[in-house]
Amino acid sequence: KDGCHLVFGGDAVDKGGRDVTFVRELVDLKRRYPDRVHLVLGNRDLNKMRFPHEVGHILNPINQPIKAPWLSKGVYWIKNGEPPAYFTEAKGEAKGEGEAGRMGLAVDRLKWMLDKTMGCPETFRLRKEELRHMANGEGEGAAPGADDGGIDDAAVVNDFLRSVGPDGEMREYLLN
């Protein structure tokens, strides 16, 4: 409505399903009404920038910093780009060799971060369900089905990383 403003108070994600869809809608509103839509960032939103540093690091060759030029040179809780000590590459090697082992470790770390440091233990499962809905072309009111639509844990990790990447909706939301 003309003359009205929308102020969204932050913490757009992690407490229910359809996070990707919701953030995309907020970003779309901001694009269409740049002077009337105001997005205030909450700690839940800002914490997403941790993913490339704390999860993405694992998926790159061991001891190589993540290639994320759109981010700052580092975060204060990871000195010199090294991952936190509570997850080590040795644990990843126990999960299997090479890329499969690193992905298993990335899945574990992301689940741990969401549960223990962000207080949202259901978010990983809810994102997986949302990705399945999107992959199956199901509408907003579609009931969850038994088929996972080919969405595995690796797809969930990759989607969290994609969302804060250069073309990701979460990154665009954070920049507005």
Side-chain angles (χ1 to χ4, degrees):
K1 182 175 175 182
D2 288 338
C4 293
H5 289 258
L6 169 68
V7 178
F8 182 77
D11 290 345
V13 295
D14 296 338
K15 292 298 186 178
R18 310 289 184 172
D19 288 351
V20 174
T21 304
F22 184 66
V23 170
R24 285 179 180 170
E25 289 295 325
L26 286 174
V27 167
D28 182 58
L29 281 170
K30 180 67 177 176
R31 276 190 209 131
R32 289 188 290 148
Y33 307 102
D35 297 329
R36 296 183 7 203
V37 173
H38 313 279
L39 305 175
V40 179
L41 301 178
N43 65 322
R44 240 171 234 302
D45 308 319
L46 295 170
N47 270 324
K48 301 308 171 273
M49 298 314 289
R50 293 172 54 194
F51 296 149
H53 292 288
E54 294 186 52
V55 177
H57 175 86
I58 298 166
L59 301 177
N60 287 300
I62 295 187
N63 297 326
Q64 296 296 313
I66 183 163
K67 307 285 190 274
W70 62 92
L71 297 174
S72 67
K73 293 187 185 226
V75 292
Y76 70 89
W77 60 87
I78 302 178
K79 300 206 185 302
N80 301 320
E82 293 298 318
Y86 52 80
F87 285 101
T88 66
E89 277 73 13
K91 183 177 176 187
E93 289 169 9
K95 291 191 153 292
E97 292 296 320
E99 189 174 331
R102 288 192 306 273
M103 180 52 81
L105 180 56
V107 167
D108 286 351
R109 186 177 295 177
L110 180 57
K111 286 180 178 180
W112 184 89
M113 287 173 64
L114 292 168
D115 182 18
K116 305 298 183 194
T117 71
M118 296 182 187
C120 49
E122 296 299 314
T123 297
F124 191 93
R125 179 187 60 78
L126 291 169
R127 175 67 62 97
K128 189 174 194 176
E129 184 176 301
E130 181 176 16
L131 293 174
R132 183 190 61 76
H133 280 274
M134 292 165 67
N136 291 335
E138 298 174 4
E140 289 296 315
D147 179 23
D148 70 2
I151 305 299
D152 60 7
D153 288 353
V156 177
V157 168
N158 286 326
D159 191 68
F160 272 99
L161 293 172
R162 176 209 56 77
S163 73
V164 295
D167 296 321
E169 64 279 339
M170 194 66 199
R171 180 173 186 267
E172 188 171 351
Y173 169 77
L174 292 169
L175 291 173
N176 284 298

